[in-house]
Amino acid sequence: MAINSKENVKNSEASLTDMFKDLASHPVPKHARSYMFCFGGITFLLFLIQIITGILLAIYYKPTPELAYESVIFIEQDVWMGAAIRSIHNIAANLMVITVLAHMLRVIYTGSYKPPRQLNWIIGACLLIVVFAFCFTGYLLPWDQLGYWAAVIGTKIMGSIPWLGEKLLLLSQAGSKVTGYTLTRFYALHIVVLPVIAIFSMVIHFLMIRKQGISGGL
Ligand code: HEM
C-alpha cells in the first residue's frame, strides 16, 4: 500500500477533525462552572502568553555577560513594541505565580488531591516547581545587580539542602560562583529545558483531567 495514498490522507484528515471536534465539543461540567475552577485555565493561558512573548524577546536578547544587559536596554528603547513585550512577559510571569497558587489552593479546598487524582497532584507539584524555576532563571537574564544577587542568594539557598546541596550549588552556578557560565546555563534552562518539562507535564496533567473528569461531579 502506498504510504501517501489518497485514502490514507483522507483517513488522517478525518481523525484530526474528529480529535478537534472532540476537544471543542466537550462542555465544562455544571459543577465546575464557578470562578474557583478557572485558575488552572488562566495559568495555562498565561503560559501561552509567556511562550509567545518569550520567543519575541529571544530574537534580540544576547545571553553573554558582555551583551545581555545592553541587549535588554536595546529591546526596551529601540525595538518596536520591545518595552511592551518585555512588560507583558514580566507581568504574566508574576500573575502566573499568583494563579498557580490560587489553583493549588482550590485543589486543596475541594479535596481534589485525594484518590484517584493523587498522581495528578504530584504532576501539579512538579509544574509548581517548574513555574518557580522559570521565574528564578529568568530573573538573572538581564544580568543586572538585582538578578545577579538574586541568583547568588537563590543558589546559596539550594546549596544548604542536606546531602545534595553542594552538588546542586556547583551544578546550578556552573562553578563555585555566579559567572557568565551561570548566565548561559540559566538561559538554556529558561528557554529549552523548562519549557520542554512544562509542556510534557501539562499534556499529562490535561490528559489525566480529561480521563478522570473534574472532581466533585456525581
Ligand atoms: C502550570 C501549572 C498548572 C496548570 C496550567 C494547571 C492546569 C489545570 C487545569 C486547567 C485544570 C482543570 C481544573 C481547573 O482549572 O481548576 C487542573 C486540574 C488539576 N490540577 Fe492543575 N495546573 C497547574 C498546576 C497545578 C498544581 C501546582 C497542582 C497541585 C500541586 C495541580 C493539581 C491539579 C489537580 C489535582 C487537578 C484536578 C482537580 C480536579 O479534578 O478538581 N495543578 N489543572
Side-chain angles (χ1 to χ4, degrees), residues 119-130:
L119 182 61
N120 219 10
W121 166 265
I122 292 170
I123 293 164
C126 293
L127 278 167
L128 183 72
I129 295 170
V130 168

Side-chain angles (χ1 to χ4, degrees), residues 37 40-41 103-104 106-107 112 117 121 124-125 205-206 209 214-215:
F37 284 82
H103 171 56
M104 200 174 87
R106 192 286 289 172
V107 170
S112 313
R117 295 182 177 79
W121 166 265
H205 201 56
F206 296 153
I209 294 162
I214 307 272
S215 62

Side-chain angles (χ1 to χ4, degrees), residues 3-189:
I3 292 175
N4 278 329
S5 70
K6 265 188 186 164
E7 203 174 321
N8 270 357
V9 173
K10 242 186 187 172
N11 280 344
S12 61
E13 270 174 9
S15 58
L16 262 183
T17 320
D18 286 346
M19 194 182 86
F20 285 118
K21 259 193 196 153
D22 178 51
L23 277 176
S25 65
H26 194 75
V28 175
K30 269 209 175 102
H31 70 272
R33 289 179 204 172
S34 133
Y35 287 114
M36 255 205 319
F37 284 82
C38 70
F39 294 112
I42 296 177
T43 310
F44 179 59
L45 179 71
L46 290 167
F47 179 71
L48 295 182
I49 292 174
Q50 290 305 76
I51 301 249
I52 295 165
T53 51
I55 290 173
L56 292 175
L57 290 172
I59 294 172
Y60 289 101
Y61 175 74
K62 299 193 173 97
T64 66
E66 296 79 22
L67 298 171
Y69 185 71
E70 224 173 82
S71 67
V72 171
I73 298 296
F74 182 72
I75 291 171
E76 283 277 334
Q77 295 179 351
D78 296 298
V79 175
W80 182 72
M81 294 282 284
I85 286 162
R86 189 166 173 237
S87 291
I88 294 171
H89 199 71
N90 272 331
I91 294 167
N94 286 301
L95 286 178
M96 210 172 154
V97 171
I98 296 172
T99 56
V100 79
L101 289 175
H103 171 56
M104 200 174 87
L105 286 179
R106 192 286 289 172
V107 170
I108 293 171
Y109 179 68
T110 53
S112 313
Y113 51 83
K114 291 179 194 162
R117 295 182 177 79
Q118 65 274 45
L119 182 61
N120 219 10
W121 166 265
I122 292 170
I123 293 164
C126 293
L127 278 167
L128 183 72
I129 295 170
V130 168
V131 170
F132 289 150
F134 264 120
C135 296
F136 181 54
T137 51
Y139 208 56
L140 178 68
L141 300 186
W143 201 241
D144 54 4
Q145 288 291 325
L146 261 181
Y148 179 85
W149 292 108
V152 171
I153 293 166
T155 47
K156 283 244 162 79
I157 291 173
M158 267 197 266
S160 65
I161 296 173
W163 302 100
L164 281 175
E166 190 106 347
K167 285 207 173 77
L168 273 181
L169 182 75
L170 287 176
L171 195 71
S172 59
Q173 290 186 339
S176 56
K177 54 184 178 179
V178 175
T179 62
Y181 291 111
T182 322
L183 177 65
T184 28
R185 188 155 293 192
F186 274 30
Y187 185 60
L189 284 170

